Amino acid sequence: MRLGVTLVGAALVAGSVACSAADPATGSAAGVGEWVHARTGECSSPRVGSIEEFAEFVGPLRADLYAPFVQEWATCAVAPYEKLGLVVFRPGVMREFQEAWKASVAAGEVVGDPDFAFGPGFAVSATDGLERLGLRYLHCTPVEGHVMSPEPAEAEGCVYTKMHQGHGH
């Protein structure tokens, strides 16, 4: 149990450092990959992809939701993910993205929240295990289970959380 508490404490400290570090999204998706590599020792040589490849990666429905807001994306490997997606959003679109997500949920087109972990202006396609990077989960639906450090997101009714249990993805 003590090891678990120590790991959670270390993840929270790393998270506060990661979010206060230079914003990797100001550069490129490859810059996000370098940021991930600096923290994990993995994600070397991220490969920038086309928006068509992005659509194949996330599927057609999610591509319709994400693509209008994506500036650039790349992939790399970070265990246990063989192909981790690194997405940089266009500047100033996070509120619009969240509103579009909420509208899609309300219309019954998608269920739940985005399958990405978010940093300032960027996202990574993993939903589990990247808390150590200080990335947050975006919730635009009611949050269930244990939630730590909820923070308001850009759109009303959405929040970011640092860590929780029972994510369900």
Side-chain angles (χ1 to χ4, degrees):
M1 179 65 179
R2 182 162 173 75
L3 177 61
V5 171
T6 302
L7 289 175
V8 168
L12 291 175
V13 170
S16 64
V17 170
C19 285
S20 66
D23 181 0
T26 58
S28 64
V32 175
E34 291 169 9
W35 180 83
V36 171
H37 179 73
R39 283 150 181 81
T40 65
E42 298 180 74
C43 192
S44 58
S45 304
R47 188 183 87 59
V48 175
S50 69
I51 201 68
E52 292 81 17
E53 290 170 310
F54 178 74
E56 290 174 20
F57 183 74
V58 298
L61 179 59
R62 283 186 165 46
D64 286 346
L65 285 168
Y66 282 104
F69 308 102
V70 172
Q71 176 175 303
E72 185 178 66
W73 88 289
T75 57
C76 68
V78 174
Y81 303 98
E82 291 180 24
K83 194 172 187 181
L84 187 70
L86 312 167
V87 176
V88 175
F89 289 92
R90 292 187 351 247
V93 299
M94 290 310 293
R95 178 184 301 272
E96 283 180 73
F97 167 70
Q98 293 163 14
E99 293 292 348
W101 192 275
K102 288 185 341 182
S104 186
V105 169
E109 297 168 344
V110 295
V111 176
D113 296 305
D115 301 22
F116 282 72
F118 289 79
F122 71 97
V124 176
S125 67
T127 57
D128 295 313
L130 293 183
E131 299 90 357
R132 65 186 180 190
L133 296 177
L135 299 177
R136 307 167 295 170
Y137 299 108
L138 175 63
H139 301 274
C140 293
T141 62
V143 179
E144 297 179 17
H146 179 69
V147 175
M148 294 179 68
S149 306
E151 302 169 22
E154 291 79 2
E156 186 174 327
C158 295
V159 296
Y160 290 111
T161 61
K162 292 237 186 232
M163 187 183 306
H164 64 284
Q165 295 173 346
H167 190 262
H169 289 292

